[in-house]
């Protein structure tokens, strides 16, 4: 039986601002720790493979409601408070394409409390939203008649697949590939998915987002039914996401909780998320659990992250806030006179490692992405072992 040793109190100045340690029960901690405080390793030599989903027989499918064919007004519910206008439409009408949503908002056809709205505006409970007639994009040509370029795009998507069934795909998004279009972006996942329309014209739909420079697990709904269910899981926080990052220095304490408010700060050249105060305009609460998995002396640390909320740039802003910015982050790396060790790529070292979410038809989707090439190179150079036990497994869900 292990003996718990009472440690002396850490001086207040040693704990990063905004972070505090989390401690589970003795039963929760025992599997993740050995005497001496070092994390235990997996018994197997390879990471756990995702479990395939086996659908249950004789399931009744409840399709999402049809798109409105005339103007209608809906009221924002409590669950939809603080949702962006475009994501509100995606959640209500999963059959809509991103481009169609942007078009009706840009033209002023959608109104909030009688006024024009921007796609990035946040909604509040009780607001009335005027929605114009909506329609699905026209079906594309059958797969057999795809152009050569479209066939290459289709193959590129297939090469990314980590998990797939009739309703859902999990893609291993490469670093540097945008999820959606925008200024200066010529290629993105959302546009690429056009080549996967089914015979009824349904295009696979994004359920969540990853930053362009973040690699890893990206969840895609292949049907309107799945899109509605999965979007609800994210809204109600029943989706569990785990990220891996390489950060400057070693966070103290080695396991902790970061809780701040984040607000968008826009300039002519860039947009970042800044640490804000409760009540500041546009500020949203953000919570992240972190755990140090392994270190390379005191210079670098492999950190596992579990976001409870899903704010823009949340993990990147939070790690910079506690003075352990993610290596290669062009927006938030804020350490002066810090030299990158030789051989380490100066690209963002952030991986959406794993996603666990209820399957729309029962069961659980559990998929993991491998380290992208630039992170695998860093792990090898630093002697980090990717099969080590991940202590974030024992972090709370809230």
């Amino acid at each position: 039986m292990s003996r718990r040793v009472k440690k002396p109190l850490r001086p207040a100045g040693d704990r990063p601002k905004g972070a505090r340690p989390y401690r589970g029960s003795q039963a929760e901690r025992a599997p993740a720790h050995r005497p001496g405080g070092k994390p235990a390793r997996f018994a197997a030599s390879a990471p756990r493979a995702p479990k395939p989903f086996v659908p249950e027989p004789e399931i009744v499918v409840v399709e999402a409601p049809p798109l409105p064919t005339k103007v209608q007004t809906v009221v924002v519910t409590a669950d939809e408070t603080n949702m962006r206008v475009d994501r509100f439409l995606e959640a209500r009408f999963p059959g809509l394409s991103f481009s169609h949503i942007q078009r009706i908002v840009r033209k002023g056809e959608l109104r909030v409390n009688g006024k024009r709205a921007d796609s990035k505006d946040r909604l509040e409970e009780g607001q009335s939203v005027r929605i114009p007639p909506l329609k699905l994009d026209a079906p594309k040509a059958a797969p057999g008649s795809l152009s050569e370029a479209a066939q290459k795009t289709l193959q590129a998507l297939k090469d990314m697949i980590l998990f797939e069934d009739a309703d859902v795909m999990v893609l291993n998004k490469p670093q540097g590939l945008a999820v959606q279009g925008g200024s200066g972006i010529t290629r993105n996942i959302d546009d690429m998915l056009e080549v996967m329309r089914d015979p009824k014209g349904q295009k696979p739909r994004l359920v969540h987002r990853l930053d362009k420079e973040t690699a890893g697990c990206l969840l895609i709904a292949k049907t309107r039914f799945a899109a509605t269910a999965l979007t609800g899981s994210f809204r109600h926080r029943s989706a569990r996401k785990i990220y891996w990052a390489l950060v400057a220095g070693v966070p103290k304490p080695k396991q902790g909780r970061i809780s701040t408010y984040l607000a968008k700060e826009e300039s002519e050249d860039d947009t970042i998320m800044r640490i804000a105060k409760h009540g500041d305009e546009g500020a949203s609460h953000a919570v992240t659990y972190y755990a140090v998995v392994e270190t390379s002396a005191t210079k670098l640390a492999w950190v596992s992250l579990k976001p409870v909320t899903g704010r823009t740039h949340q993990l990147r802003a939070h790690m910079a806030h506690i003075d352990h910015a993610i290596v290669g982050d062009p927006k938030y790396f804020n350490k002066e006179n810090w030299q990158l060790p030789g051989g380490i790529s100066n690209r963002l070292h952030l991986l959406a490692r794993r996603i666990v979410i209820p399957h729309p038809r029962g069961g659980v989707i559990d998929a993991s992405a491998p380290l992208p090439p630039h992170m695998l190179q860093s792990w090898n150079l630093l002697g980090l072992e990717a099969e080590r036990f991940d202590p974030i497994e024992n972090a709370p869900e809230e």
Side-chain angles (χ1 to χ4, degrees), residues 1 20 47 65 109-110 125 129 147 169 181 183 196 198 209 215 221 256 275 288 299 313 320 361 370 383 388:
M1 179 179 296
R20 63 180 177 82
E109 296 176 4
L110 180 139
E125 180 182 3
V129 182
S147 67
M169 286 191 301
S183 177
M196 300 187 79
D198 66 17
R209 313 288 185 273
I275 303 300
T288 301
K299 182 78 172 180
H313 297 175
R361 301 185 189 276
R388 287 185 71 95

Side-chain angles (χ1 to χ4, degrees), residues 71 127 211 247 283 342 353 379 398:
V71 174
Q127 287 183 321
D211 294 342
V247 303
R353 165 64 177 175
W379 260 237
E398 292 295 336

Side-chain angles (χ1 to χ4, degrees), residues 40-46 387-389:
R41 299 169 184 256
F42 283 125
S45 59
E387 72 273 11
R388 287 185 71 95
F389 180 80

Side-chain angles (χ1 to χ4, degrees), residues 113-131:
N113 285 353
K115 299 179 180 179
R116 291 178 70 115
D118 186 86
S119 61
K120 297 179 180 179
D121 288 348
R122 301 279 177 172
L123 296 172
E124 298 178 5
E125 180 182 3
Q127 287 183 321
S128 61
V129 182
R130 175 194 180 277
I131 300 172

